[in-house]
Short mmCIF file of all heavy atoms in Angstrom, two decimals:
data_model
loop_
_atom_site.label_atom_id
_atom_site.label_comp_id
_atom_site.label_asym_id
_atom_site.label_seq_id
_atom_site.Cartn_x
_atom_site.Cartn_y
_atom_site.Cartn_z
N ASP G 8 62.32 148.26 75.06
CA ASP G 8 63.15 147.05 74.53
C ASP G 8 63.91 146.30 75.60
O ASP G 8 64.35 145.15 75.34
CB ASP G 8 63.97 147.49 73.47
CG ASP G 8 63.14 148.15 72.30
OD1 ASP G 8 62.05 147.52 71.91
OD2 ASP G 8 63.50 149.13 71.71
N ASN G 9 64.41 146.96 76.64
CA ASN G 9 65.35 146.43 77.49
C ASN G 9 64.96 146.52 78.96
O ASN G 9 65.83 146.12 79.98
CB ASN G 9 66.64 147.14 77.42
CG ASN G 9 66.70 148.51 77.77
OD1 ASN G 9 65.77 149.18 78.16
ND2 ASN G 9 67.81 149.21 77.71
N PHE G 10 63.72 147.03 79.32
CA PHE G 10 63.45 147.28 80.77
C PHE G 10 63.52 146.01 81.62
O PHE G 10 63.73 145.94 82.81
CB PHE G 10 62.18 147.90 81.02
CG PHE G 10 60.90 147.05 80.80
CD1 PHE G 10 60.36 146.49 81.95
CD2 PHE G 10 60.41 146.85 79.51
CE1 PHE G 10 59.15 145.64 81.63
CE2 PHE G 10 59.42 146.02 79.27
CZ PHE G 10 58.70 145.40 80.42
N GLU G 11 63.31 144.82 80.97
CA GLU G 11 63.33 143.60 81.73
C GLU G 11 64.67 143.22 82.09
O GLU G 11 64.89 142.26 82.90
CB GLU G 11 62.77 142.45 80.84
CG GLU G 11 61.20 142.59 80.51
CD GLU G 11 60.63 141.64 79.61
OE1 GLU G 11 61.44 140.99 78.85
OE2 GLU G 11 59.44 141.36 79.72
N GLU G 12 65.72 143.86 81.83
CA GLU G 12 67.09 143.60 82.25
C GLU G 12 67.64 144.58 83.08
O GLU G 12 68.89 144.64 83.28
CB GLU G 12 68.03 143.40 80.93
CG GLU G 12 67.70 142.24 80.05
CD GLU G 12 68.74 141.85 79.07
OE1 GLU G 12 69.92 142.38 79.25
OE2 GLU G 12 68.55 141.06 78.18
N VAL G 13 66.88 145.45 83.73
CA VAL G 13 67.28 146.34 84.65
C VAL G 13 68.05 145.75 85.89
O VAL G 13 69.05 146.15 86.31
CB VAL G 13 65.91 147.16 85.23
CG1 VAL G 13 66.35 147.82 86.67
CG2 VAL G 13 65.59 148.22 84.25
N LEU G 14 67.49 144.46 86.28
CA LEU G 14 68.06 143.83 87.46
C LEU G 14 69.37 143.04 86.90
O LEU G 14 70.31 142.76 87.82
CB LEU G 14 67.10 142.88 88.00
CG LEU G 14 65.79 143.60 88.69
CD1 LEU G 14 64.90 142.56 89.39
CD2 LEU G 14 66.30 144.66 89.64
N ASP G 15 69.28 142.43 85.78
CA ASP G 15 70.42 141.80 85.25
C ASP G 15 71.69 142.74 85.13
O ASP G 15 72.77 142.38 85.46
CB ASP G 15 70.25 141.30 83.70
CG ASP G 15 69.17 140.19 83.71
OD1 ASP G 15 69.22 139.19 84.50
OD2 ASP G 15 68.16 140.34 83.12
N PHE G 16 71.44 144.01 84.74
CA PHE G 16 72.53 144.99 84.73
C PHE G 16 73.00 145.26 86.14
O PHE G 16 74.24 145.35 86.35
CB PHE G 16 71.85 146.25 84.16
CG PHE G 16 72.83 147.44 84.07
CD1 PHE G 16 73.86 147.54 82.98
CD2 PHE G 16 72.70 148.56 84.90
CE1 PHE G 16 74.63 148.60 82.95
CE2 PHE G 16 73.54 149.64 84.76
CZ PHE G 16 74.49 149.66 83.83
N ALA G 17 72.12 145.40 87.05
CA ALA G 17 72.48 145.63 88.46
C ALA G 17 73.33 144.62 89.01
O ALA G 17 74.39 144.68 89.84
CB ALA G 17 71.31 145.82 89.31
N ASN G 18 72.94 143.33 88.73
CA ASN G 18 73.59 142.15 89.28
C ASN G 18 75.06 141.90 88.64
O ASN G 18 75.92 141.43 89.18
CB ASN G 18 72.83 140.88 89.02
CG ASN G 18 71.66 140.70 90.04
OD1 ASN G 18 71.97 140.77 91.30
ND2 ASN G 18 70.52 140.50 89.59
N LEU G 19 75.03 142.36 87.22
CA LEU G 19 76.29 142.31 86.57
C LEU G 19 77.32 143.23 87.20
O LEU G 19 78.59 142.79 87.30
CB LEU G 19 76.03 142.82 85.02
CG LEU G 19 77.34 142.83 84.20
CD1 LEU G 19 77.84 141.33 83.85
CD2 LEU G 19 76.84 143.45 82.82
N PHE G 20 76.97 144.42 87.50
CA PHE G 20 77.95 145.35 88.03
C PHE G 20 78.10 145.60 89.58
O PHE G 20 78.91 146.21 90.17
CB PHE G 20 77.72 146.66 87.50
CG PHE G 20 78.05 146.79 86.03
CD1 PHE G 20 77.12 146.62 85.02
CD2 PHE G 20 79.40 146.94 85.65
CE1 PHE G 20 77.48 146.77 83.66
CE2 PHE G 20 79.72 147.05 84.35
CZ PHE G 20 78.89 146.89 83.30
N LYS G 21 77.34 144.69 90.29
CA LYS G 21 77.36 144.87 91.70
C LYS G 21 78.77 144.56 92.31
O LYS G 21 79.12 145.09 93.41
CB LYS G 21 76.17 144.12 92.45
CG LYS G 21 76.51 142.56 92.31
CD LYS G 21 75.27 141.81 92.97
CE LYS G 21 75.59 140.29 92.99
NZ LYS G 21 74.45 139.55 93.65
N ASP G 22 79.42 143.60 91.69
CA ASP G 22 80.71 143.09 92.25
C ASP G 22 81.83 143.66 91.39
O ASP G 22 83.02 143.14 91.55
CB ASP G 22 80.84 141.63 92.26
CG ASP G 22 79.81 141.19 93.35
OD1 ASP G 22 79.61 141.83 94.40
OD2 ASP G 22 79.23 140.08 93.13
N ILE G 23 81.60 144.55 90.44
CA ILE G 23 82.63 145.21 89.57
C ILE G 23 82.76 146.56 90.21
O ILE G 23 81.85 147.23 90.46
CB ILE G 23 82.29 145.14 88.16
CG1 ILE G 23 82.11 143.76 87.50
CG2 ILE G 23 83.30 145.96 87.36
CD1 ILE G 23 81.65 143.76 86.06
N ASP G 24 84.05 147.03 90.35
CA ASP G 24 84.44 148.36 91.05
C ASP G 24 84.14 149.52 90.22
O ASP G 24 85.02 150.50 90.17
CB ASP G 24 85.80 148.24 91.59
CG ASP G 24 85.91 147.30 92.76
OD1 ASP G 24 84.93 146.96 93.44
OD2 ASP G 24 86.95 146.88 93.10
N VAL G 25 83.01 149.61 89.54
CA VAL G 25 82.69 150.89 89.00
C VAL G 25 82.09 151.76 90.08
O VAL G 25 81.77 151.28 91.12
CB VAL G 25 81.56 150.72 87.85
CG1 VAL G 25 82.06 150.01 86.68
CG2 VAL G 25 80.34 150.13 88.40
N ASP G 26 82.09 153.19 89.79
CA ASP G 26 81.75 154.22 90.85
C ASP G 26 80.20 154.29 90.89
O ASP G 26 79.71 154.59 91.89
CB ASP G 26 82.43 155.51 90.58
CG ASP G 26 83.90 155.37 90.80
OD1 ASP G 26 84.32 155.22 91.88
OD2 ASP G 26 84.64 155.50 89.84
N TYR G 27 79.58 154.20 89.66
CA TYR G 27 78.08 154.23 89.78
C TYR G 27 77.38 153.57 88.53
O TYR G 27 78.18 153.20 87.54
CB TYR G 27 77.61 155.67 89.72
CG TYR G 27 77.94 156.49 88.37
CD1 TYR G 27 77.06 156.45 87.41
CD2 TYR G 27 79.05 157.16 88.37
CE1 TYR G 27 77.37 157.10 86.23
CE2 TYR G 27 79.34 157.90 87.09
CZ TYR G 27 78.50 157.87 86.03
OH TYR G 27 78.80 158.51 84.99
N CYS G 28 76.21 153.12 88.64
CA CYS G 28 75.41 152.57 87.62
C CYS G 28 74.23 153.51 87.40
O CYS G 28 73.46 153.71 88.32
CB CYS G 28 75.00 151.21 88.05
SG CYS G 28 76.33 150.06 88.23
N GLN G 29 74.20 154.05 86.23
CA GLN G 29 73.15 155.15 85.93
C GLN G 29 71.93 154.56 85.13
O GLN G 29 72.31 154.02 84.07
CB GLN G 29 73.81 156.25 85.23
CG GLN G 29 72.79 157.32 84.88
CD GLN G 29 73.42 158.31 83.80
OE1 GLN G 29 74.01 157.91 82.88
NE2 GLN G 29 73.22 159.66 84.12
N TYR G 30 70.83 154.71 85.70
CA TYR G 30 69.54 154.46 84.90
C TYR G 30 68.94 155.66 84.47
O TYR G 30 68.79 156.75 85.33
CB TYR G 30 68.58 153.77 85.71
CG TYR G 30 69.02 152.27 86.16
CD1 TYR G 30 69.74 152.07 87.23
CD2 TYR G 30 68.84 151.16 85.34
CE1 TYR G 30 70.17 150.83 87.64
CE2 TYR G 30 69.11 149.91 85.54
CZ TYR G 30 69.97 149.58 86.69
OH TYR G 30 70.33 148.30 87.20
N LYS G 31 68.48 155.88 83.25
CA LYS G 31 67.69 157.06 82.84
C LYS G 31 66.80 156.63 81.58
O LYS G 31 66.96 155.63 80.94
CB LYS G 31 68.70 158.19 82.34
CG LYS G 31 69.59 157.73 81.09
CD LYS G 31 70.48 159.03 80.76
CE LYS G 31 71.34 158.59 79.48
NZ LYS G 31 72.11 159.86 79.14
N PRO G 32 65.58 157.39 81.50
CA PRO G 32 64.62 157.07 80.56
C PRO G 32 65.11 157.35 79.10
O PRO G 32 65.86 158.24 78.82
CB PRO G 32 63.43 157.94 80.86
CG PRO G 32 64.01 158.96 81.66
CD PRO G 32 65.23 158.49 82.32
N GLU G 33 64.75 156.48 78.12
CA GLU G 33 64.90 156.75 76.72
C GLU G 33 64.15 158.18 76.35
O GLU G 33 63.15 158.40 76.75
CB GLU G 33 64.24 155.70 75.86
CG GLU G 33 64.43 155.97 74.39
CD GLU G 33 63.73 154.97 73.53
OE1 GLU G 33 62.87 154.11 74.12
OE2 GLU G 33 64.03 154.82 72.36
N ILE G 34 64.88 158.99 75.64
CA ILE G 34 64.38 160.24 75.22
C ILE G 34 64.15 160.02 73.67
O ILE G 34 64.95 159.89 72.87
CB ILE G 34 65.33 161.38 75.47
CG1 ILE G 34 65.72 161.37 76.96
CG2 ILE G 34 64.72 162.74 75.04
CD1 ILE G 34 64.54 161.57 77.92
N ILE G 35 62.72 160.29 73.35
CA ILE G 35 62.56 160.23 71.94
C ILE G 35 62.89 161.44 71.22
O ILE G 35 62.53 162.46 71.44
CB ILE G 35 61.01 159.96 71.79
CG1 ILE G 35 60.59 158.65 72.48
CG2 ILE G 35 60.57 159.80 70.31
CD1 ILE G 35 61.30 157.39 72.04
N GLN G 36 63.72 161.29 70.09
CA GLN G 36 63.94 162.29 69.23
C GLN G 36 62.87 162.63 68.15
O GLN G 36 62.45 161.61 67.57
CB GLN G 36 65.30 161.96 68.42
CG GLN G 36 66.65 162.09 69.24
CD GLN G 36 66.99 163.46 69.60
OE1 GLN G 36 66.74 164.38 68.82
NE2 GLN G 36 67.58 163.65 70.72
N ILE G 37 62.53 163.74 68.06
CA ILE G 37 61.28 164.20 67.21
C ILE G 37 61.43 163.63 65.88
O ILE G 37 60.63 162.87 65.26
CB ILE G 37 60.98 165.53 67.24
CG1 ILE G 37 60.68 166.07 68.68
CG2 ILE G 37 59.88 165.95 66.27
CD1 ILE G 37 60.56 167.62 68.88
N GLU G 38 62.56 163.85 65.15
CA GLU G 38 62.77 163.51 63.76
C GLU G 38 62.88 161.97 63.57
O GLU G 38 62.33 161.27 62.66
CB GLU G 38 64.00 164.18 63.18
CG GLU G 38 63.72 165.74 63.09
CD GLU G 38 65.20 166.45 63.31
OE1 GLU G 38 65.87 166.19 64.16
OE2 GLU G 38 65.39 167.30 62.29
N ARG G 39 63.62 161.41 64.41
CA ARG G 39 63.73 159.95 64.26
C ARG G 39 62.45 159.26 64.59
O ARG G 39 62.07 158.18 63.96
CB ARG G 39 64.89 159.50 65.31
CG ARG G 39 65.23 157.97 65.00
CD ARG G 39 66.57 157.53 65.89
NE ARG G 39 66.85 156.26 65.58
CZ ARG G 39 67.51 155.78 64.66
NH1 ARG G 39 68.04 156.64 63.76
NH2 ARG G 39 67.86 154.40 64.56
N ASN G 40 61.74 159.69 65.48
CA ASN G 40 60.49 159.26 65.78
C ASN G 40 59.46 159.22 64.55
O ASN G 40 58.99 158.09 64.21
CB ASN G 40 59.79 159.97 66.88
CG ASN G 40 58.42 159.39 67.47
OD1 ASN G 40 58.24 158.25 67.18
ND2 ASN G 40 57.60 160.34 67.97
N ALA G 41 59.54 160.22 63.83
CA ALA G 41 58.74 160.39 62.74
C ALA G 41 59.16 159.38 61.55
O ALA G 41 58.35 158.79 60.73
CB ALA G 41 58.62 161.87 62.15
N ALA G 42 60.45 159.24 61.52
CA ALA G 42 61.16 158.55 60.34
C ALA G 42 60.92 157.14 60.55
O ALA G 42 60.65 156.41 59.59
CB ALA G 42 62.44 158.81 60.27
N ILE G 43 60.86 156.53 61.74
CA ILE G 43 60.81 155.09 61.88
C ILE G 43 59.52 154.63 62.55
O ILE G 43 59.30 153.47 62.84
CB ILE G 43 61.95 154.54 62.75
CG1 ILE G 43 61.90 155.05 64.21
CG2 ILE G 43 63.41 154.89 62.20
CD1 ILE G 43 62.96 154.66 65.15
N ASP G 44 58.55 155.63 62.66
CA ASP G 44 57.22 155.40 63.13
C ASP G 44 57.44 154.64 64.46
O ASP G 44 56.63 153.82 64.84
CB ASP G 44 56.45 154.41 62.29
CG ASP G 44 54.97 154.33 62.55
OD1 ASP G 44 54.48 155.43 63.03
OD2 ASP G 44 54.32 153.34 62.22
N LYS G 45 58.26 155.22 65.29
CA LYS G 45 58.45 154.71 66.68
C LYS G 45 57.28 155.34 67.60
O LYS G 45 56.73 156.36 67.32
CB LYS G 45 59.73 155.27 67.27
CG LYS G 45 60.19 154.51 68.59
CD LYS G 45 61.65 154.96 68.94
CE LYS G 45 61.93 154.31 70.29
NZ LYS G 45 62.09 152.89 70.20
N LYS G 46 56.96 154.61 68.71
CA LYS G 46 55.94 155.03 69.56
C LYS G 46 56.33 156.33 70.30
O LYS G 46 57.61 156.70 70.23
CB LYS G 46 55.71 153.97 70.68
CG LYS G 46 55.10 152.63 70.07
CD LYS G 46 54.92 151.64 71.14
CE LYS G 46 54.18 150.33 70.69
NZ LYS G 46 54.03 149.46 71.73
N GLU G 47 55.37 157.05 70.81
CA GLU G 47 55.80 158.23 71.60
C GLU G 47 56.59 157.87 72.78
O GLU G 47 56.80 156.81 73.09
CB GLU G 47 54.50 158.94 72.04
CG GLU G 47 53.61 159.52 70.86
CD GLU G 47 52.40 160.28 71.21
OE1 GLU G 47 52.15 160.33 72.46
OE2 GLU G 47 51.80 160.95 70.33
#
């Protein structure tokens, strides 16, 4: 849903003095996946 904003996020924080910007993959919860028919 949001991978197209990976670079927008980077550009947003490049000049703000945070210590790091962390990217990580979405982790699918088994129960929620079944309940909302989300993709694997």
Side-chain angles (χ1 to χ4, degrees):
D8 300 318
N9 67 357
F10 76 95
E11 292 178 336
E12 293 197 12
V13 162
L14 299 184
D15 295 302
F16 178 76
N18 283 312
L19 176 66
F20 284 101
K21 67 178 181 180
D22 296 320
I23 297 176
D24 288 338
V25 294
D26 294 290
Y27 68 85
C28 299
Q29 178 196 45
Y30 294 92
K31 61 180 181 179
E33 176 185 17
I34 306 304
I35 301 299
Q36 289 286 330
I37 296 170
E38 291 151 309
R39 190 170 178 85
N40 184 20
I43 63 177
D44 195 28
K45 191 175 178 68
K46 294 180 180 179
E47 292 185 355

